[in-house]
Amino acid sequence: MLKARTRGFFLVLGIIVVGACAFSFFLKTDSPINETQAMKIFYDYPVVSTFDEMAEEAEFIVSGRYTSLDSKWNMARNPENIMEEDSENYVEGWLYHFEIDDVLKGNLESSTILVNHKYSQVITTTESNAVVDDEGNILKAATKENTLSFSVHDPMFIEPELDSTYILFLLKDKDFGNYYAAVEPFSIKVENGIPELQSNLLNNTKTFSEEIAVGGDRTVDVLCDVGMGVDDFISGRSLEDIIQAISTSK
Amino acid sequence: MKKGLLWMSQGMLVGLIMACIVVPMLTLSVSAYSLESFHLKSKSASFVWGDRIDTPGSVIRNAWESAISDWASASSCDFYSSSNSVNELNSFYESSSSLYGRTKLTYDITTDAIYIASFEAKINAGNSSISRSNVARSTANHEFGHLLGINDLSSGTAIMNTNRERSTIYIPQTDDINGVAAVYG
Ligand SMILES: [Zn+2]
């Protein structure tokens, strides 16, 4: 018969062996990847709800026509040298030639400018089987990883109609020389002399959902949220009234 | 005549009582917070500094640091840096753009639809107004608001007001603080 001390020793040894096996099993277990199913992107754009704010925020207000698409470019730049593209990010901008009929605000010498419209952006996300605690700390490192990369349309993009008349509310990019939306909304289309506000945020729309295929039969639900929609503050106003309001707001 | 005056004064009294109830309700609804359908599981959350702001000193790094202490003193929420976090604070440079900031978050629709699984919040260093006094800090506090479960507003004195004057409203306001308190208690 074993002495009590020896029995105790084997008991403790047994516990240690079982514990070590269980721990190594825990370390080696390959849990499946936590697949990304849904994503939400909040865009913090300056959104205005009145005509006066729109006119105030713009450095330049011009009327004229888009004549052609010049080029597509990467708006994401290397912060160390912005003349270079950002090698890690891709934000697609479409540059259009815009022929100016009238400069309603600001000093502009040339009669043709390039206007940039942000079109889309590439979103990258890494999914893995890492075990993460409630505060976002990784408790157990990933043994499997999968990087998803896909393009998401910019919620503000509206393709301009060539040869139609528009009034645009713009800022100038001092580094590249082109012009871009000062705020959202920033564009009024003039159709048969009647001004129409151009914006995807009309009727107080503020969220945009897209189901994006990411390979195989998998999709990711992407919900873009711009924060606030707008009421149509142009409807019912005449073109003369708008031009008059711009000249008094200067 | 006397009766008429009595009725009128009673009517005025009822009107006054109703006004006292209805008017505060109206003013409250103008600036009341709105709750998002999901938020961080814990009000203490970790993050890593992204590669663009991993050394202190830049406008955007300073903005995030100020916003962390702004939310810590306004509420019991605490964001802390930890090298093994799945969450990230960073900056990006988007030129020809009036975008201030962007927060991307993932969540699990099948099991944990009310909790954020991971986030990536970034401020646009390419926005021509971002170096103006307090604008980046206002953006940073706004992005944290999204993570803490409060939603954008279109008016009112709130960091969540999309149409706010960013150089004057740059720290969490009473309405934002009430919103976060409603989420975490
Ligand atoms: Zn927002």
Side-chain angles (χ1 to χ4, degrees), chain B residues 32-47:
Chain B
Y33 58 80
S34 137
L35 297 184
E36 187 41 276
S37 55
F38 41 72
H39 54 267
L40 288 169
K41 198 163 195 172
S42 163
K43 57 185 174 180
S44 181
S46 66
F47 66 86

Side-chain angles (χ1 to χ4, degrees), chain A residues 190-203:
Chain A
V190 184
E191 189 96 70
N192 302 320
I194 297 166
E196 291 170 7
L197 188 62
Q198 304 292 296
S199 178
N200 292 332
L201 304 180
L202 287 175
N203 304 315

